[in-house]
Amino acid sequence: MNLMDFLPGVGGGTIVVVLLALFVIISIFLGVRIVPQSEKYVVERFGRLKSVLGPGINLIVPFIDRVRHKVSILERQLPNSSQDAITADNVLVQVETSVFYRILQPEKTVYRIRDVDGAIATTVAGIVRSEIGKMELDEVQSNRTALISSIKSLVESAVDDWGIEVTRAEILDVNLDEATRAAMLQQLNAERARRAQVTEAEGRRRAVELAADADLYAAEQTAKARRVQADAEAYATGVVAAAIQDNGIEAAQYQIALKQVESLNALGAGEGKQTIIVPADALEAFGNAFKMLKGVAR
């Protein structure tokens, strides 16, 4: 029996055309590949790499070329991992890391490495231990940005042959054991106490400086006042001396009598002074003063 027995009334030429049409449809179906934007296809020909198909419509040779691998080019995140490391000052720390990457060259990733995630995780763990071993604990805590940048650069160099780009490498946390935490807390408290003592000492020193400045300023002002007073007294003495030179002894007697009168007035103006003791020659001083005043008035 043959195909003609099942299709009575159909000529041999028609069957050939149908089979040819089926072959063409299958060839088109196998030869046209529509690749999504987020993927790349690795094509093999007889078991060897032929090409890498990018997003869009691509043509391959039917029955000869075969899409062997469909690789996503989206950014991926490795599971967070923790690894122990020892710093340069012999402190054991537990570092939690996270790495983001994406595949740029699928042909390298497919044919050069079997477990991409595992390989990257192992590489990151080794680099983290190596870099932290070069730094002391304080540097690890304070220079985390520089440490992350160094780790990212080293990981990129290590995975370059795999056709992978490391987009981000993060150190999520640096954990310490309880003994180290207690020692660091004690050191922190001691540092805070030292800073407080320094601040208090600075405050006392500043207060002494300000008090000294205030005393200096007061002394300067007192000296200025005394200088002004001395200048005034010198001027008054000069005026009196000129008057004596011009008017003779009467001017001197007049000044003395005037001072005596002013002194007695000041003595009588005091508060609570009900009784005033006048010297024996006070009346004579008053008389002399009044006589001289009358003489000046004339």
Side-chain angles (χ1 to χ4, degrees):
M1 298 181 65
N2 53 32
L3 186 60
M4 297 298 296
D5 297 332
F6 293 97
L7 300 173
V10 178
T14 303
I15 293 177
V16 172
V17 171
V18 171
L19 292 177
L20 183 60
L22 290 175
F23 178 77
V24 170
I25 293 172
I26 294 174
S27 298
I28 293 174
F29 177 77
L30 296 178
V32 177
R33 287 289 182 269
I34 300 177
V35 182
Q37 182 68 37
S38 60
E39 294 183 350
K40 286 185 178 181
Y41 290 178
V42 178
V43 178
E44 293 181 353
R45 176 175 293 179
F46 302 121
R48 299 187 61 182
L49 174 65
K50 173 62 176 60
S51 62
V52 177
L53 305 182
I57 298 177
N58 298 269
L59 299 178
I60 61 175
V61 179
F63 306 106
I64 298 178
D65 296 341
R66 180 181 177 184
V67 176
R68 175 65 67 177
H69 304 281
K70 297 180 179 181
V71 181
S72 173
I73 59 176
L74 295 177
E75 186 175 4
R76 310 178 187 184
Q77 178 185 8
L78 290 178
N80 296 344
S81 60
S82 297
Q83 52 269 346
D84 294 334
I86 299 177
T87 62
D89 49 351
N90 294 323
V91 177
L92 178 64
V93 296
Q94 188 177 48
V95 184
E96 185 177 356
T97 59
S98 178
V99 177
F100 296 80
Y101 75 95
R102 62 191 182 97
I103 297 175
L104 298 181
Q105 297 174 294
E107 64 276 16
K108 291 184 178 181
T109 307
V110 168
Y111 296 110
R112 291 186 179 181
I113 190 72
R114 180 182 296 276
D115 183 5
V116 179
D117 290 354
I120 295 177
T122 302
T123 302
V124 170
I127 291 175
V128 167
R129 291 192 181 98
S130 176
E131 289 301 303
I132 289 182
K134 302 176 183 178
M135 307 172 67
E136 294 185 355
L137 180 60
D138 291 341
E139 295 177 329
V140 174
Q141 297 286 359
S142 60
N143 298 330
R144 185 173 297 187
T145 301
L147 178 60
I148 291 173
S149 177
S150 176
I151 292 174
K152 180 177 181 296
S153 177
L154 293 174
V155 173
E156 286 178 347
S157 300
V159 303
D160 184 62
D161 291 339
W162 302 338
I164 295 171
E165 177 191 17
V166 177
T167 56
R168 283 185 294 171
E170 299 289 343
I171 295 180
L172 302 179
D173 198 6
V174 178
N175 297 316
L176 306 173
D177 56 62
E178 292 300 327
T180 305
R181 285 179 180 273
M184 289 185 64
L185 181 60
Q186 185 177 3
Q187 180 182 3
L188 180 60
N189 292 334
E191 179 65 18
R192 288 176 177 173
R194 184 190 66 81
R195 291 181 180 178
Q197 292 176 356
V198 170
T199 302
E200 184 179 357
E202 289 289 337
R204 289 197 300 267
R205 182 179 66 84
R206 184 57 179 164
V208 171
E209 290 178 353
L210 292 176
D213 291 341
D215 293 340
L216 178 61
Y217 178 77
E220 290 176 351
Q221 296 302 314
T222 302
K224 289 180 180 179
R226 290 179 178 177
R227 185 167 57 250
V228 171
Q229 184 179 3
D231 292 341
E233 291 178 355
Y235 176 77
T237 304
V239 171
V240 172
I244 293 173
Q245 184 178 1
D246 294 339
N247 300 314
I249 194 61
E250 293 181 356
Q253 293 175 348
Y254 169 77
Q255 289 293 329
I256 295 172
L258 182 61
K259 291 293 184 180
Q260 290 177 347
V261 173
E262 290 177 352
S263 300
L264 291 174
N265 289 335
L267 183 61
E271 295 182 359
K273 303 291 177 104
Q274 303 297 329
T275 303
I276 300 176
I277 301 174
V278 179
D281 59 347
L283 296 177
E284 183 180 357
F286 276 114
N288 293 335
F290 284 127
K291 289 178 182 180
M292 290 181 180
L293 288 175
K294 289 180 180 180
V296 173
R298 293 177 183 174

